Amino acid sequence: MARTVIIEEHGGPEVLKIVDRDVGEPAPGEIRIRHQACGLNFIDCYQRSGLYPMQLPHALGMEAAGVIEAVGDGVTHLSVGDRAAYAAALSGAYTEARVMPAAQVCKLPDGISAEEGAAMMLKGLTVQYLFHRTTPLRAGDTILFHAAAGGVGLIACQWARSEGLRLIGTAGSDEKCALALEHGADACINYATEDWPVRVRELTDGKGVDVVMDSIGKSTFGGSLDSLKPLGMMISFGNASGAVEAFNLGILAQKGCLKVTRPTLFAHIADPAVCREMAAMLFGKVLSGDVKIRIGQRFPLEQVADAHRALEARSTTGQTVLTL
């Protein structure tokens, strides 16, 4: 049996329940993993609220780290006793142990703790595809990155610095801006006190940025388009403020032949070999010291509702983990 967080209806954090569930044995292509820590992400809130509807009842959580307890037939990249971490499309990571497909589970190198592994997989692999699999980036390019002091943002700030990219961040307080700057942002704009699209133009001598990476969604989409230079790329990869509303595609031509994409991590890691290649690059960034995983908040599994409230209130910095 394993304590597991589930929802039986969509709603606020109050719908999160902890139940005991049978774990079972892995079938071919599966593993059983005993978790040591679980990561939290905005997608968990989207699934809980119903923005991303799920068949109910359903377990929540997309990333975790722990130790492999059993391996099904056909699994060759993992062995019993291996330390491992994952981000996986099949939710259910908020649990003490689970049986799951092995395809996206990666062996965790020595030198990276279980808490770091749980905190970094979904967010770090997201940064990897934003910087290396979405649009060509060259040293000297300028990126506007929203929520630069969040879990994805702090990794992105460091990743950009390690590759000679100029990252302009936005955040909701002076303290969060300072944190982004500390982690490698070239500049950070407090959107609570500044007209951030105007400030972006000032910081780029009126030219705009090459790429916007926007996980906020509805409230920032228009300003993000206004911050791009002609032929720039808008990467909308999240909906923290709500889903982006429908808009006239002709606006992209009017603003300088802009490009827009809406990627998801799970499309990128669907191929297990690609997933492990992406993870190897992420692990390399962390082991080299180019990227440090900052865990800003820890909640015991029993306080998962409080963790969701903190995440949705944007009162967190860096990564948040559930401890077991």
Side-chain angles (χ1 to χ4, degrees):
M1 303 294 287
R3 291 181 304 154
T4 304
V5 177
I6 68 165
I7 56 170
E8 296 176 327
E9 60 182 320
H10 293 297
E14 70 279 357
V15 303
L16 296 165
K17 298 177 61 175
I18 298 178
V19 300
D20 289 324
R21 278 191 163 185
D22 287 324
V23 180
E25 296 297 324
E30 295 182 334
I31 54 92
R32 185 174 73 236
I33 183 169
R34 176 70 53 177
H35 289 157
Q36 296 171 316
C38 314
L40 269 75
N41 298 279
F42 261 103
I43 191 172
D44 307 343
C45 301
Y46 303 157
Q47 292 178 340
R48 187 211 71 228
S49 70
L51 179 63
Y52 294 173
M54 307 174 73
Q55 185 174 353
L56 301 175
H58 211 295
L60 290 186
M62 312 296 284
E63 66 177 345
V67 177
I68 303 297
E69 287 191 331
V71 175
D73 291 343
V75 177
T76 58
H77 69 288
L78 295 166
S79 301
V80 172
D82 282 349
R83 301 171 63 249
Y86 65 85
L90 181 63
S91 62
Y94 293 179
T95 184
E96 293 173 319
R98 70 185 294 198
V99 168
M100 64 181 294
Q104 276 73 48
V105 182
C106 300
K107 188 173 180 180
L108 190 63
D110 293 338
I112 300 177
S113 71
E115 283 196 353
E116 290 170 326
M120 69 188 271
M121 291 300 288
L122 192 146
K123 291 170 278 286
L125 292 174
T126 294
V127 174
Q128 198 279 343
Y129 86 67
L130 289 173
F131 280 72
H132 290 276
R133 295 176 57 84
T134 308
T135 191
L137 288 169
R138 299 178 297 275
D141 283 352
T142 301
I143 298 163
L144 174 62
F145 202 100
H146 292 297
V152 179
L154 291 185
I155 295 174
C157 289
Q158 297 172 82
W159 202 295
R161 178 172 58 187
S162 75
E163 299 191 352
L165 298 161
R166 184 190 184 198
L167 187 146
I168 299 171
T170 69
S173 70
D174 290 342
E175 292 76 16
K176 287 188 174 184
C177 284
L179 191 60
L181 293 169
E182 177 187 331
H183 283 74
D186 184 79
C188 193
I189 304 164
N190 182 346
Y191 62 74
T193 60
E194 296 188 77
D195 186 336
W196 58 267
V198 171
R199 184 67 179 134
V200 168
R201 288 289 171 178
E202 292 173 352
L203 289 168
T204 57
D205 297 323
K207 298 176 182 177
V209 300
D210 298 282
V211 179
V212 177
M213 299 179 180
D214 187 342
S215 64
I216 304 302
K218 181 178 179 179
S219 68
T220 52
F221 189 77
S224 292
L225 293 182
D226 289 338
S227 299
L228 283 165
K229 64 172 56 171
L231 305 180
M233 169 64 85
M234 168 68 180
I235 307 174
S236 177
F237 69 102
N239 310 292
S241 67
V244 174
E245 297 176 341
F247 68 99
N248 182 352
L249 282 176
I251 291 173
L252 302 180
Q254 296 168 17
K255 293 182 181 294
C257 297
L258 305 181
K259 294 161 282 188
V260 177
T261 186
R262 180 56 172 92
T264 66
L265 170 63
F266 300 113
H268 284 280
I269 64 173
D271 183 322
V274 172
C275 178
R276 290 196 279 276
E277 288 175 6
M278 294 169 64
M281 178 178 284
L282 171 61
F283 295 154
K285 291 282 188 183
V286 174
L287 291 171
S288 70
D290 284 342
V291 171
K292 292 181 172 60
I293 304 302
R294 184 183 190 276
I295 299 173
Q297 301 75 217
R298 294 172 174 84
F299 294 85
L301 188 68
E302 294 79 8
Q303 295 177 15
V304 61
D306 291 334
H308 272 232
R309 291 185 185 100
L311 197 62
E312 290 182 300
R314 301 189 198 176
S315 62
T316 63
T317 56
Q319 289 81 17
T320 304
V321 296
L322 296 175
T323 57
L324 299 167

